[in-house]
Amino acid sequence: MTDRPLLVIATGTFPDPDAVVERYRDRCALRVADLADPAATYGAAAVVVATHALDAPALRGLAPSVRAIGRTGVGLDSIDLDTCAELGITVVNQPGYGATEVATQAVAMLLALQRRLPYSDRFVRGGWQGPFALTPLAPLDELTLGLVGCGRIGAETARLAAPLVREVIAYDPYARRLPPAVRQVDDLDALLDRSALVSVHSPLTDATRGLLGRAELGRLPAGAVVVNVARGGIVDEDALAELLVSGHLGGAGLDVFGTEPLPAGSPLLAAPNTLFSPHVAAYSERSMWRLASWTVEDLLGWLGQGGIEHGNLAVRGSR
């Protein structure tokens, strides 16, 4: 390995790639390139991607010199991890870079929807109506918040929300330890039966795809609010829209969607008491720089010392 390994940043990964190049020019060579170009990764030790799809053909099309991939984010569903393992390519992602930002977005959406702010805003703009137009409206501190998944972001959501609600419960079969303010339930049905507020924080896997379908959403108490800042494929969007229109659900906040951008014909767009954001929950100026620097530093750490400081080794390949 040379003293200054070459890292290729996929086009569109960072809003300001020049700043990243300048920051790390003494420790590595950084090149921004379109990975669809067969010559893009020639001589590179690692590549850096955001949500770029790296399926088996794309991975096999990388230069043989590529030994690591840095995913600037949490989800790994866009990368074929089995092929990475087969090829000996290490994959590093960053589950913690924007935990506070995502949790803040989740809580903000929960509060706005539970207080029916989208309705209230419309009333002011389109014809004044008094408070009885918002009924029934339960006090927040009488409600249970259910977390579907309680890793870093779920735990931070619990920390922010616990002082505001009656209790926080969570369903996460993989969690080794939950925060003191969170009570674990045995199964998803138990969580759904009790939760007037639901916030989704699971990764998208074969096990969680479609986890909240029509039957599961239908178990929620009447008027319940659902927020998803994790991955769009976890929630059945057609069922969600149907239950919002019927009035069984009281609101939904989504930062993520099964198809992004959200198609113009999505039934969600006509559903009442909804809040949408374009997959930006993790964004802040500091979190974006944290994400860029942590990804580059972890790749350099792996290539040089065989260890990482900030993220997660999703696949441990050869060095």
Side-chain angles (χ1 to χ4, degrees):
M1 188 179 113
T2 64
D3 291 339
R4 295 176 67 249
L6 171 62
L7 277 59
V8 172
I9 303 171
T11 303
T13 297
F14 298 135
D16 186 6
D18 291 342
V20 182
V21 172
E22 180 62 27
R23 169 72 178 270
Y24 291 98
R25 66 168 58 255
D26 293 336
R27 296 177 59 190
C28 64
L30 287 166
R31 182 171 71 211
V32 180
D34 182 352
L35 296 186
D37 179 354
T41 58
Y42 179 77
V47 298
V48 181
V49 298
T51 56
H52 305 76
L54 291 178
D55 57 13
L59 290 166
R60 297 185 191 281
L62 298 175
S65 58
V66 173
R67 301 190 301 282
I69 295 170
R71 160 72 169 100
T72 60
V74 181
L76 292 163
D77 45 291
S78 60
I79 302 175
D80 186 333
L81 300 182
D82 291 336
T83 299
C84 288
E86 177 188 336
L87 297 174
I89 298 174
T90 293
V91 179
V92 180
N93 65 324
Q94 300 295 336
Y97 83 97
T100 298
E101 286 83 357
V102 178
T104 300
Q105 182 92 350
V107 173
M109 284 183 155
L110 287 165
L111 294 177
L113 290 162
Q114 194 275 329
R115 291 298 303 172
R116 303 199 179 185
L117 296 189
Y119 275 132
S120 296
D121 180 83
R122 190 175 75 235
F123 291 162
V124 172
R125 296 174 188 278
W128 194 279
Q129 299 186 46
F132 297 111
L134 302 176
T135 57
L137 186 59
L140 185 64
D141 61 4
E142 293 181 2
L143 303 181
T144 293
L145 167 61
L147 303 175
V148 181
C150 196
R152 290 180 177 87
I153 297 172
E156 182 67 5
T157 302
R159 184 186 71 82
L160 295 174
L164 306 175
V165 298
R166 182 179 66 185
E167 63 173 347
V168 181
I169 61 177
Y171 169 68
D172 189 333
Y174 304 104
R176 296 179 182 177
R177 180 183 300 176
L178 296 181
V182 181
R183 181 179 303 174
Q184 186 160 11
V185 295
D186 294 333
D187 54 50
L188 181 60
D189 286 349
L191 179 136
L192 297 172
D193 290 343
R194 294 169 54 185
S195 300
L197 306 168
V198 171
S199 193
V200 180
H201 301 286
S202 297
L204 181 61
T205 65
D206 290 342
T208 63
R209 189 177 298 276
L211 182 66
L212 295 182
R214 183 171 277 98
E216 290 77 19
L217 293 170
R219 292 187 72 104
L220 289 167
V225 168
V226 177
V227 163
N228 185 10
V229 292
R231 282 292 183 270
I234 298 170
V235 178
D236 183 331
E237 293 174 5
D238 290 341
L240 182 64
E242 178 185 313
L243 291 169
L244 287 165
V245 171
S246 73
H248 178 73
L249 293 180
L254 302 176
D255 181 61
V256 290
F257 305 88
T259 299
E260 297 179 354
L262 184 65
S266 170
L268 285 170
L269 294 171
N273 205 31
T274 52
L275 276 177
F276 303 135
S277 54
H279 207 146
V280 295
Y283 177 78
S284 74
E285 291 181 2
R286 179 166 294 184
S287 72
M288 290 298 97
W289 181 248
R290 189 186 303 134
L291 178 59
S293 61
W294 284 6
T295 301
V296 173
E297 288 171 8
D298 277 350
L299 287 173
L300 294 178
W302 175 257
L303 294 169
Q305 305 293 330
I308 64 173
E309 181 179 355
H310 304 288
N312 168 64
L313 275 176
V315 175
R316 184 184 292 269
S318 56
R319 290 175 49 221

